[in-house]
Amino acid sequence: MASEESFVVLVHHKGSIKRKTRFGVKFTDKDPLCIVVSPRTSYDDLVRSVLMKLGLEGAKRVKKFFYRIPITVLQDTVKYDCFTIGSDEDLQVMFLCRRQFPEVRTPELLAKLVDVVSSSGGSNRNTTTLATAAGSSSRPAVASSSVPVYEPAVQPVASPSFAADLNGSGGDEVGSFDIAPNALPGVAPLGVGDGFWGEGEEDDVEPDMIDDDSGDDIGASELALAVVGSSSGTQQYPPHFSSLDLDAMRQEGVSGHSVGFGARDAEGTAGLTEFQVGQQFQDKDEALLSVKTYSIRRGVQYKVVESDHRRYVGKCSEFGNGCTWLIRLSLRQRKGIWEVKRYNGPHTCLATSISSDHRSLDYHVISAFIMPMVRADASVSIKVLLNATAAHFGFRLTYRRVWMAKQKAISLIYGDWDESYNELPRWVLGVQLTMPGTVAVLWTSPVRVGGQVDESQAYFHRLFWTFPSCIEAFRHCKPLVSIDGTHLYGKYGGTLLIAIAQDGNSNILPVAFALVEGENAESWSFFLSHLRQHVTLQPGLLVISDRHNDIKAALEAPDGGWLPPSAYRAFCIRHVVANFALTFKGKDARRLLVNAAYAKTEVEFDYWFDILRSEDPAMCEWANRIDYSLWTQHRDDGRRFGHMTTNISECVNSILKGVRNLPVSSLVKATYGRLAELFVRKGREAEAQMGTGQQFSQHLVKSIEANLKTARCFTVTLYDRDNSEFTVAETTPTGSFSLGTYRVSLASRTCDCGYFQALHFPCQHALACCAYSRVTWSSYVHSVYQISSVFSVYRMGFTPPIPEGFWPPYDGPTVIPDPARRRVREGHPRSTRIRTNMDEADPNRPKRCGLCR
């Protein structure tokens, strides 16, 4: 028969699995083995053939194979995924796929080879051992590891520290901590450009409290991990505390290789091996988790007969109706471990109905499974977790159950939501000790009980913080700052205010933060007054923001220090256009307004404005109500450096999105780790460029090279003997006719095209004048673009955080969250983001899957 014919299988034994390629999954090994098999070949035969060809019999064993399985065929293009083969039954899948997909005649496998250890270590692939939890190596591990074992207790994250002086506050405020900085150097930027149109910020808002629907009646004991504070001086932070690439934080495992608790073992039989009398567990939570996972894997139900602090007894739901399954676990008090004392198994009953849910699959079990994913990326969406959990356990789950599991995982990893507020005063003291010069200002409000002030407690009100590295770094950045706010998505509401700077290489850099109750005149005044006092000390700064009236009130305060000539304000053109679109519809009109705003000369502005007026005079009347200096580039006197939007702030919103749904103490600690990583990365880049002898930043060099290419066909005329006043005629490459004439003044650094004065480096016309006069163009470049200035931004850096056990003690009142800020307790909350036309995606941007990107 044709189906019995032999065929060749390519077996890769080196390399790795590459995902997200054009064809899906791909094996990177370039030198595979050729193994001849037939549908009669067993799994053991295939293993022996591979080891024999490699000459590794006795030295290695095949733990499993990964099969590059075809899943779709579209116009001769085959898409592949990954399938784990660990038994004869799995191997039949490969034979079946070969018959169903005639386009793929040569299957590909990747063999996972492991060393053969001693006989006690389990060189036989059917032998498994039970892993013990951390800190329990002295306790015996009995029975099979295929019964799931709970992971070690996860310690709450202790985070980086900062510095602050504590000053009492008068009036109605119970406590206020204010820290004055010591002058120190350094700051950090993020490499994000200043674009205009882009996708709006994703708004994966999660509800604060949702009732459980798991139907779990298995005792009152929660499967809570032991939370142990770290006072030994060692700290371990989640990876995203210092990671700046959110995509890289997404956990990517090999398909078929489950991660976390309850995953299948090398034989793919996790949760199916029976319990054994004498099998031991570290605590009751671990024992319950193993029993539940066993029940879920078997697809059977059980009920709890007895459950207290010393024993746990469970029986099959069909006990007495043909099934005798029973398990009894009890505490061995001398050793402090739980042990299986009696076990009647396996189940002899059959499921009488098919269900898409399982009562044992509650949010405690799900929390243990998703823990590695949440720890790697706290911003992972509920949809992703839901799909991963459903694929792992084989049951459909509700959104709220997975949401509750994620909230539990977050609280176990990062600490309790309410307690995190009380950690802030100690964090202020700790960070002051770690980096002298750190500014941290903590405001609290009084707690009133029965009309009397409770001196032992205080509500959290506001917190401003910045680091000496950021303060020093801003001195070497462009003289502008962008401010923006982003909502918090945790148990308690609030807003994170951020101030952003930009270095001479177009890297963005957060320089100050504030946690406030929301965007109002008082909170913006609190943030901007401390920003001006401690960070943005230079005169003549530009502040780019949206048209929020509360920002306007804070900037126009007489004692705020933000009035001209000390500082100037400019609007983000994206927000201006969004407001414009509320009155006037049509993308063409919006583009005309944008072009007018970006115009660098008055002539160009009038050209676009006249077209806009021809469309509808009311549009121009609307735009004329706003002062031109606030939204047009040709009237900003070069203060914008070409930046027309607060996209740099929006990019930081995206970067910090991973921590916006965390407890507040973890959020502030994450800013320290993120900035420390940012300073290291960008500082190394700038130092490497200096080492190669470069004088200017890469961003400037690319712009100059582009201008030089277009300046070759220009005709230059000198008008003074000091080589400073010129006219430049743009001509065609053949020189047949002129395309326009521009006046250039090297002395005043201006050009009729507007680019010279707007961007602060020579435009193409100025470069032609420099070449004509045989003078170097570098002397006409703003100092912020010099690579030495870019390096100075990151020169200072950060210091390793002092362990929390060594932080100074805090003797003040207990800081608690304001109950009024508690988010909605039931249901999915309404989005806090007001979506407008500026959130429309670029139509030319490729569409990507929301789950896997």
Side-chain angles (χ1 to χ4, degrees):
M1 293 173 56
S3 61
E4 299 296 325
E5 292 179 355
S6 299
F7 57 91
V8 174
V9 175
L10 298 180
V11 180
H12 303 262
H13 56 94
K14 295 181 292 187
S16 59
I17 299 176
K18 187 175 182 181
R19 294 181 170 276
K20 298 182 181 179
T21 67
R22 177 186 174 190
F23 303 105
V25 169
K26 179 181 179 181
F27 298 149
T28 61
D29 182 14
K30 301 297 183 182
D31 187 23
L33 303 175
C34 292
I35 305 292
V36 178
V37 299
S38 72
R40 295 187 299 274
T41 302
S42 67
Y43 179 85
D44 292 330
D45 293 337
L46 180 60
V47 169
R48 281 194 293 270
S49 299
V50 172
L51 295 178
M52 189 179 301
K53 276 219 170 189
L54 292 173
L56 297 176
E57 292 177 291
K60 297 277 188 179
R61 68 183 180 92
V62 177
K63 187 175 182 181
K64 56 185 151 185
F65 291 99
F66 295 112
Y67 171 37
R68 190 170 178 241
I69 183 172
I71 52 176
T72 59
V73 179
L74 296 173
Q75 298 179 349
D76 298 330
T77 300
V78 183
K79 290 281 188 179
Y80 296 90
D81 204 340
C82 202
F83 176 75
T84 305
I85 295 180
S87 63
D88 292 337
E89 189 177 63
D90 295 337
L91 191 60
Q92 291 300 318
V93 174
M94 183 183 74
F95 300 138
L96 178 63
C97 287
R98 187 173 181 272
R99 291 194 295 269
Q100 290 183 343
F101 292 89
E103 297 85 356
V104 185
R105 304 304 300 166
T106 306
E108 294 183 69
L109 301 175
L110 173 63
K112 183 174 179 62
L113 302 176
V114 295
D115 294 328
V116 174
V117 296
S118 63
S119 58
S120 61
S123 59
N124 184 339
R125 71 183 184 89
N126 291 322
T127 304
T128 54
T129 57
L130 181 65
T132 60
S136 61
S137 57
S138 61
R139 296 173 180 168
V142 185
S144 168
S145 68
S146 57
V147 178
V149 179
Y150 197 65
E151 291 186 345
V154 179
Q155 295 184 353
V157 237
S159 87
S161 31
F162 305 19
D165 288 339
L166 301 181
N167 299 327
S169 67
D172 232 9
E173 294 172 356
V174 172
S176 168
F177 308 101
D178 196 354
I179 301 94
N182 302 328
L184 296 177
V187 183
L190 302 176
V192 183
D194 181 28
F196 176 73
W197 294 112
E199 280 191 329
E201 166 191 7
E202 292 183 17
D203 196 12
D204 185 17
V205 185
E206 297 172 6
D208 164 63
M209 178 63 67
I210 305 180
D211 293 335
D212 184 19
D213 67 338
S214 61
D216 180 22
D217 60 352
I218 306 184
S221 171
E222 276 198 1
L223 297 177
L225 291 173
V227 178
V228 182
S230 172
S231 59
S232 62
T234 59
Q235 298 180 8
Q236 289 186 352
Y237 304 111
H240 72 275
F241 264 37
S242 59
S243 174
L244 301 174
D245 185 358
L246 293 183
D247 289 334
M249 284 189 271
R250 291 200 178 99
Q251 179 167 345
E252 299 201 23
V254 177
S255 178
H257 181 4
S258 303
V259 290
F261 155 118
R264 293 180 176 271
D265 57 17
E267 293 71 46
T269 58
L272 300 183
T273 304
E274 300 298 320
F275 292 93
Q276 296 183 13
V277 174
Q279 185 171 343
Q280 296 175 347
F281 302 93
Q282 295 301 312
D283 49 35
K284 184 179 180 181
D285 293 336
E286 182 182 318
L288 261 68
L289 202 51
S290 294
V291 174
K292 286 185 176 183
T293 304
Y294 170 89
S295 176
I296 295 166
R297 290 293 186 194
R298 282 284 184 181
V300 295
Q301 305 283 356
Y302 78 99
K303 57 185 177 182
V304 178
V305 178
E306 183 178 3
S307 178
D308 56 32
H309 65 284
R310 291 189 303 172
R311 65 180 59 85
Y312 183 85
V313 181
K315 290 183 179 181
C316 176
S317 299
E318 300 297 323
F319 192 87
N321 295 330
C323 185
T324 60
W325 188 90
L326 176 145
I327 188 169
R328 179 189 296 273
L329 301 106
S330 59
L331 173 67
R332 297 188 61 180
Q333 295 187 0
R334 292 183 60 186
K335 292 187 176 182
I337 60 176
W338 284 70
E339 188 176 282
V340 178
K341 291 296 186 181
R342 180 183 174 187
Y343 182 66
N344 294 343
H347 283 270
T348 57
C349 59
L350 295 175
T352 57
S353 62
I354 298 177
S355 174
S356 61
D357 197 1
H358 197 288
R359 62 184 293 182
S360 296
L361 189 54
D362 54 20
Y363 74 93
H364 307 298
V365 177
I366 300 169
S367 174
F369 169 69
I370 66 175
M371 187 80 68
M373 288 180 276
V374 176
R375 188 174 183 84
D377 180 8
S379 67
V380 59
S381 70
I382 300 298
K383 290 181 180 179
V384 172
L385 296 177
L386 194 151
N387 291 336
T389 307
H392 183 80
F393 290 104
F395 291 97
R396 287 202 304 268
L397 306 171
T398 61
Y399 180 98
R400 55 182 170 181
R401 195 185 306 178
V402 179
W403 182 90
M404 293 178 68
K406 182 182 177 182
Q407 296 309 301
K408 179 179 179 180
I410 287 177
S411 65
L412 290 172
I413 297 172
Y414 302 99
D416 182 73
W417 291 93
D418 294 350
E419 183 60 30
S420 68
Y421 285 89
N422 195 39
E423 292 180 16
L424 291 177
R426 286 201 68 223
W427 173 83
V428 168
L429 296 171
V431 77
Q432 179 79 29
L433 185 63
T434 299
M435 288 194 74
T438 297
V439 178
V441 182
L442 175 61
W443 282 12
T444 58
S445 57
V447 175
R448 300 185 183 275
V449 180
Q452 299 295 323
V453 175
D454 185 355
E455 299 290 346
S456 64
Q457 297 186 104
Y459 288 135
F460 171 82
H461 191 40
R462 295 173 186 143
L463 173 67
F464 171 90
W465 74 98
T466 185
F467 309 112
S469 303
C470 298
I471 297 172
E472 175 63 21
F474 187 75
R475 295 175 52 216
H476 305 281
C477 291
K478 296 174 183 177
L480 60 88
V481 63
S482 175
I483 56 176
D484 204 354
T486 179
H487 297 282
L488 302 182
Y489 292 155
K491 182 177 180 180
Y492 294 93
T495 301
L496 175 65
L497 305 181
I498 314 168
I500 313 298
Q502 190 175 55
D503 69 6
N505 199 28
S506 294
N507 298 313
I508 62 173
L509 156 74
V511 293
F513 309 87
L515 281 173
V516 297
E517 67 279 11
E519 294 192 63
N520 53 56
E522 291 76 17
S523 62
W524 273 115
S525 179
F526 167 80
F527 177 62
L528 291 172
S529 61
H530 288 293
L531 178 68
R532 189 61 169 166
Q533 179 183 352
H534 301 296
V535 184
T536 58
L537 306 176
Q538 301 91 321
L541 290 177
L542 181 72
V543 181
I544 303 178
S545 69
D546 57 31
R547 299 176 62 204
H548 206 293
N549 288 330
D550 295 326
I551 298 178
K552 178 182 178 182
L555 290 174
E556 293 180 354
D559 56 347
W562 294 103
L563 294 175
S566 298
Y568 300 88
R569 189 186 183 192
F571 290 151
C572 167
I573 188 59
R574 286 185 64 198
H575 291 86
V576 172
V577 172
N579 295 337
F580 176 83
L582 296 176
T583 306
F584 305 100
K585 307 303 179 183
K587 291 185 178 181
D588 290 338
R590 297 206 302 267
R591 288 196 185 98
L592 292 173
L593 186 66
V594 170
N595 290 339
Y598 272 81
K600 294 178 174 60
T601 64
E602 187 172 0
V603 173
E604 185 182 0
F605 172 82
D606 291 338
Y607 169 79
W608 292 111
F609 218 55
D610 288 342
I611 299 178
L612 188 67
R613 185 178 291 107
S614 65
E615 293 282 335
D616 187 351
M619 296 180 181
C620 293
E621 293 176 5
W622 184 94
N624 285 331
R625 298 192 195 108
I626 310 174
D627 191 334
Y628 283 180
S629 64
L630 295 176
W631 66 280
T632 63
Q633 191 166 196
H634 79 283
R635 291 282 189 91
D636 72 347
D637 295 329
R639 297 189 187 94
R640 283 183 180 264
F641 277 74
H643 299 296
M644 297 297 296
T645 72
T646 57
N647 269 2
I648 53 177
S649 296
E650 307 261 286
C651 291
V652 172
N653 285 353
S654 178
I655 292 168
L656 294 177
K657 187 176 180 180
V659 298
R660 290 188 300 168
N661 59 344
L662 297 182
V664 292
S665 61
S666 295
L667 186 152
V668 297
K669 293 170 185 177
T671 60
Y672 192 98
R674 295 283 180 89
L675 285 173
E677 171 68 15
L678 186 65
F679 271 63
V680 170
R681 184 184 304 179
K682 296 303 178 182
R684 284 177 176 173
E685 291 178 4
E687 189 175 25
Q689 294 170 27
M690 290 180 63
T692 60
Q694 297 183 30
Q695 185 180 358
F696 297 103
S697 67
Q698 291 181 331
H699 170 74
L700 178 83
V701 170
K702 290 179 180 178
S703 300
I704 293 294
E705 287 176 350
N707 288 343
L708 285 172
K709 289 181 181 179
T710 57
R712 294 170 182 167
C713 301
F714 294 171
T715 301
V716 180
T717 304
L718 176 64
Y719 276 84
D720 73 332
R721 58 179 179 271
D722 295 328
N723 287 332
S724 62
E725 305 295 331
F726 304 84
T727 60
V728 179
E730 290 186 358
T731 58
T732 60
T734 59
S736 56
F737 59 91
S738 173
L739 299 177
T741 302
Y742 300 85
R743 294 174 301 167
V744 177
S745 174
L746 294 181
S748 59
R749 301 190 181 191
T750 59
C751 177
D752 283 350
C753 70
Y755 282 80
F756 200 175
Q757 52 269 41
L759 304 180
H760 301 279
F761 60 79
C763 61
Q764 53 191 355
H765 310 107
L767 289 175
C769 295
C770 291
Y772 177 85
S773 302
R774 290 179 173 80
V775 297
T776 177
W777 54 263
S778 59
S779 58
Y780 300 102
V781 176
H782 195 286
S783 60
V784 75
Y785 295 109
Q786 295 178 2
I787 193 64
S788 58
S789 296
V790 177
F791 177 69
S792 297
V793 171
Y794 311 101
R795 186 191 299 273
M796 183 176 181
F798 286 74
T799 57
I802 295 176
E804 294 184 18
F806 297 97
W807 286 0
Y810 166 68
D811 300 326
T814 301
V815 179
I816 61 175
D818 189 343
R821 293 197 203 170
R822 179 70 180 266
R823 298 181 67 215
V824 59
R825 293 175 179 269
E826 295 183 2
H828 198 297
R830 290 165 50 187
S831 172
T832 53
R833 182 177 181 88
I834 302 174
R835 296 194 174 272
T836 62
N837 299 82
M838 72 178 184
D839 292 308
E840 294 179 358
D842 183 353
N844 298 322
R845 189 171 182 174
K847 295 184 182 298
R848 297 182 184 276
C849 173
L851 302 180
C852 67
R853 305 309 301 171

